[in-house]
């Protein structure tokens, strides 16, 4: 249910990004007159949201893709596009009834993407006026449970063409595939190879004949828990167990140059992390540490007051919370908001939080334990934060906006 809620939230709320039509700069973000949002990244060229990876959400399974004017989102086997507060299925057929809620897995609507065929929950990307995602090869029988071939699909922005551009690998378990993204002309994905090792792969979208293994977890207990492409680099966390009982996990954060494949270990930690203003922020003992990506220096910026385990960021602030640390009681859930130097902006009580979603740069969102998603304007961060209902979901799955 959380996946459905967050997906709908993204579709109906990230239209706020499209409202910016004037030049403005805050932190490392500039919004130009042509609605292209750029991040001034000293570790690479300007970051264009309509072309590059968008690792701004807690999970790629609940993400959207912004094209500079509107946003795409998959929901219940249907691809939607939202622009100027208008949401429509991505289908250019003039007389189509857009019937996508089907039981037999078949629909003539161009916006229909059966989750038996397409793996948008692994992540998808908007790149160069097309949408890229993983899926089963058209040669595969959807009823088969073995010898499945995973491919990359390229979907036109109006939904008129779903083209299988290359076959990647065979698998008997689609759960062996992790995350997927396209960034600066390359497709990246994580998957378990035939020997049981978790790997990261790269493929040139314009020459998809060859794939490259760019990282392998040599220990079979190891896995890639998160990756984010920013500028000319991919940042990823590698976690592994010190014994075969899968206990006492350790971890490392790496940086990989997407053009040269050169990689380097930056930090020894299995902590959650976020990349913000050329720094990596993560938890260390009772502190939140910052790793300066230019100098390589590590320094604490503030105390982790209540053993929070989740940290995310947008272009304004860093957010961390104890709602998922397994220790705090609901009445003690707090969302801490700090700037890049660790200065406390606000501490917000969130006792009804079932899941803290994060931020879209304009508002904060959380799912409550009574099937609501609430939003709060970031402009209120310095004062009393007012949570407003964005939508609710009924017991039978009906979604009510506002």
């Amino acid at each position: 249910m959380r996946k459905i809620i967050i997906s709908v939230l993204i579709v109906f709320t990230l239209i706020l990004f499209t409202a910016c039509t004037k030049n403005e700069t805050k932190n490392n973000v500039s919004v130009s007159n042509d609605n292209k949002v750029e991040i001034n990244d000293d570790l690479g060229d300007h970051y264009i949201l309509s072309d590059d990876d968008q690792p701004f959400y807690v999970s790629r399974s609940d993400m959207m893709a912004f094209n500079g004017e509107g946003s795409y989102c998959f929901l219940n086997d249907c691809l939607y596009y939202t622009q100027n507060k208008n949401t429509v299925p991505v289908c250019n057929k003039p007389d189509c009834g857009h019937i996508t809620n089907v039981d037999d897995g078949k629909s003539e609507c161009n916006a229909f993407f059966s989750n038996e065929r397409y793996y948008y929950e692994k992540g998808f990307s908007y790149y160069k006026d097309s949408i890229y995602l993983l899926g089963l090869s058209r040669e595969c029988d959807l009823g088969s449970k073995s010898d499945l071939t995973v491919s990359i699909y390229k979907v036109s922005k109006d939904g008129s063409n779903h083209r299988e551009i290359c076959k990647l690998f065979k698998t008997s378990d689609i759960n062996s595939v992790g995350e997927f993204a396209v960034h600066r002309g390359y497709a990246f994905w994580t998957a378990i190879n035939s020997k049981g090792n978790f790997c990261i792969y790269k493929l040139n979208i314009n020459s998809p004949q060859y794939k490259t293994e760019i990282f392998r977890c040599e220990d079979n207990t190891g896995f890639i828990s998160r990756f984010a492409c920013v500028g000319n680099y991919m940042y990823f966390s590698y976690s592994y167990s010190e014994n075969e009982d899968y206990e006492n996990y350790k971890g490392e954060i790496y940086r990989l140059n997407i053009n040269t494949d050169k990689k380097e270990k930056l930090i020894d930690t299995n902590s959650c992390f976020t990349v913000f203003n050329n720094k990596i922020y993560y938890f260390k003992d009772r502190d939140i540490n910052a790793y300066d990506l230019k100098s390589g220096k590590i320094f604490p910026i503030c105390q982790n007051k209540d053993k929070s385990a989740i940290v995310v960021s947008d272009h304004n602030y860093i957010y961390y919370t104890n709602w998922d640390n397994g220790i705090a009681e609901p009445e003690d859930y707090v969302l801490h908001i700090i700037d890049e130097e660790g200065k406390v902006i606000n501490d917000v009580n969130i006792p009804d939080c079932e899941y803290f979603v994060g931020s879209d740069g304009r508002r904060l969102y959380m799912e409550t334990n009574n099937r609501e998603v609430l939003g709060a304007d970031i402009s209120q961060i310095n004062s009393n934060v007012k949570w407003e209902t964005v939508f609710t979901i009924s017991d039978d799955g009906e979604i009510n906006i506002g």
Side-chain angles (χ1 to χ4, degrees), residues 208-270:
Q209 295 86 356
Y210 305 102
K211 66 179 181 181
T212 303
E213 179 187 289
I214 56 177
F215 184 85
R216 177 188 298 179
C217 301
E218 297 297 343
D219 191 325
N220 284 351
T221 68
F223 61 94
I224 308 299
S225 56
R226 172 178 170 79
F227 76 77
C229 298
V230 180
N232 290 325
Y233 291 88
M234 169 193 280
Y235 301 89
F236 63 92
S237 55
Y238 164 50
S239 299
Y240 59 94
S241 174
E242 292 186 295
N243 54 55
E244 294 182 356
D245 294 330
Y246 296 93
E247 298 176 349
N248 301 321
Y249 268 88
K250 290 191 173 182
E252 302 160 351
I253 296 177
Y254 284 79
R255 174 172 64 183
L256 184 143
N257 188 302
I258 65 171
N259 297 309
T260 66
D261 294 344
K262 180 181 178 181
K263 54 185 174 291
E264 57 181 323
K265 186 178 74 172
L266 302 180
I267 310 168
D268 287 308
T269 181
N270 61 358

Side-chain angles (χ1 to χ4, degrees), residues 1 17 47 50 76 90 103 190 197 205 281 294 309 320 350:
M1 192 274 287
F17 276 110
Y47 188 88
S50 61
N76 292 349
V90 182
D103 294 329
T190 59
N197 301 102
I205 284 293
Y281 293 87
K294 295 180 182 179
Y320 67 100
I350 49 173

Side-chain angles (χ1 to χ4, degrees), residues 65 95 110 120 122 159 173 177 221 246 335 337 339 344 356:
D95 299 321
N110 285 338
Y120 46 82
K122 308 294 184 180
D173 182 9
V177 182
T221 68
Y246 296 93
L335 173 64
I337 305 168
D339 65 14
V344 177
F356 175 63

